[in-house]
Amino acid sequence: FLNTTLNSSYIGVVFRGNVFIMLGAMTSAPERVDARAVYYKHADSNFYSALSYVIGEALAACPQMLIDVLLFGVFVYWMVGFVPTAANFVIYLLLFFLFTFAMGQTYGLLAAISPTKTVVQAGGALVLLLNVLFCGYIVSPNVIPIYWNWLYWINPLPWIYRALLLNEFDNRPEGEEVMKSYGFLLPNGETFGGEWIGYGFAFIIPYAFLCLVASAYCLHRFRMEPKQQATPVIAKEKDAVEDESPDNEGSSFTDASFIPVDLSFRDLCYDVKASTGSDKLRLLNNVSGVFSSGRLCALMGESGAG
């Protein structure tokens, strides 16, 4: 009875850890709809391609993913009492990290093709439901109907969940019986072997790469927001200035009839619309200064100020 209880606890912890990862990715997916406007803005200016944007976004999220996986994995692994070997621990962390990365790309693809945040939330809930229902925890794999069995093999969670269980029970004497009792059986009735841990890696890595490329393709091909109008260019500005200058032969811009002045300002504020959302950003806040005549001056802000 004690062994059965412990085995159930191990399986439950692994399942909940994967669900928490999916929930975290799902809650951050709607924010990518706002961030999508940043890509559109820069793509209109031919700054970079969709693939460069998606790869950069994925790499920028990796440090935070790594911290989350380490914080969760280190405490849970040793407190619950999984197999105390370095190899199993490293495989455990790698599987969790790859699953976190893959889920980030899955919901990134969903955000790339969804017109609104509501659609992202609804689609994310559906993805979560299908993965949880067919991962092998709620419904045993050997009792999934044949017409739904394909969902068990194409969703990423079943592969990671099965690999994590094999990583734990493949080295235990009673491991084969535990896997058999929870219905983790091949179509021929045999239990999954340790090689299926490698198959889990072989599935999740191409899956994450495929989602990443698909996100870039959808961002490039299917635009969900109208293209912004370019700022009109004043043609022949130099000619216009010369037309306003005196017609006397030999006259120059420096001979034009105007009085040089110093420009002073006090408590100047300047607000712009944020790149994402409807908020406003204050770029200048109660700025004071003087621009001397005859000098070219530039007001520089921090990177990203515009």
Side-chain angles (χ1 to χ4, degrees):
F1 173 77
L2 181 59
N3 286 336
T4 302
T5 303
L6 288 175
N7 292 334
S8 299
S9 299
Y10 297 147
I11 293 174
V13 167
V14 171
F15 171 74
R16 293 184 185 92
N18 285 285
V19 173
F20 289 155
I21 289 174
M22 294 194 68
L23 286 173
M26 187 179 71
T27 55
S28 62
E31 299 176 1
R32 298 194 175 191
V33 176
D34 291 335
R36 191 173 59 193
V38 177
Y39 162 73
Y40 290 150
K41 178 180 178 181
H42 290 85
D44 292 341
S45 301
N46 296 323
F47 281 176
Y48 42 68
S49 65
L51 185 60
S52 300
Y53 172 79
V54 172
I55 292 176
E57 188 179 44
L59 293 178
C62 283
Q64 183 62 48
M65 292 181 185
L66 183 61
I67 294 174
D68 294 340
V69 169
L70 288 176
L71 289 176
F72 174 83
V74 171
F75 287 102
V76 171
Y77 193 91
W78 300 108
M79 290 179 65
V80 173
F82 289 112
V83 177
T85 62
N88 289 80
F89 178 60
V90 171
I91 292 174
Y92 170 88
L93 291 180
L94 284 176
L95 286 170
F96 264 115
F97 177 79
L98 288 174
F99 184 63
T100 304
F101 183 82
M103 284 297 98
Q105 303 316 307
T106 300
Y107 285 102
L109 173 59
L110 186 61
I113 61 177
S114 300
T116 63
K117 294 182 180 180
T118 304
V119 177
V120 174
Q121 292 172 339
L126 179 61
V127 171
L128 177 64
L129 174 64
L130 293 177
N131 276 272
V132 169
L133 192 59
F134 293 98
C135 72
Y137 180 78
I138 297 177
V139 180
S140 299
N142 61 335
V143 299
I144 297 177
I146 188 65
Y147 46 86
W148 290 117
N149 201 37
W150 58 276
L151 287 170
Y152 176 73
W153 294 104
I154 68 169
N155 282 319
L157 179 55
W159 289 85
I160 295 298
Y161 181 58
R162 182 175 57 243
L164 287 168
L165 293 183
L166 288 171
N167 184 54
E168 174 63 23
F169 293 110
D170 192 52
N171 296 321
R172 295 193 176 194
E174 75 280 8
E176 185 175 350
E177 293 299 324
V178 173
M179 297 295 290
K180 186 181 296 185
S181 65
Y182 282 92
F184 287 91
L185 300 173
L186 290 166
N188 59 6
E190 297 181 1
T191 57
F192 291 94
E195 68 275 7
W196 283 86
I197 298 176
Y199 295 159
F201 283 101
F203 176 88
I204 200 66
I205 294 175
Y207 172 85
F209 178 76
L210 181 62
C211 289
L212 188 146
V213 174
S215 298
Y217 177 80
C218 292
L219 276 176
H220 178 69
R221 295 290 297 178
F222 308 108
R223 182 167 184 143
M224 298 299 168
E225 299 176 6
K227 189 173 182 179
Q228 297 180 357
Q229 297 294 329
T231 303
V233 178
I234 301 177
K236 301 181 179 179
E237 181 179 358
K238 181 178 179 180
D239 294 340
V241 173
E242 292 178 351
D243 291 341
E244 295 177 0
S245 62
D247 295 332
N248 296 331
E249 185 177 355
S251 63
S252 63
F253 182 74
T254 55
D255 298 329
S257 56
F258 66 86
I259 302 175
V261 296
D262 295 338
L263 176 63
S264 64
F265 52 94
R266 184 173 64 181
D267 298 334
L268 180 65
C269 299
Y270 181 58
D271 297 334
V272 297
K273 185 179 179 298
S275 299
T276 59
S278 58
D279 297 334
K280 287 192 173 183
L281 301 178
R282 172 153 292 188
L283 300 186
L284 301 180
N285 186 24
N286 295 327
V287 177
S288 301
V290 177
F291 291 154
S292 301
S293 62
R295 300 186 61 186
L296 179 64
C297 300
L299 185 61
M300 303 295 294
E302 62 179 322
S303 178

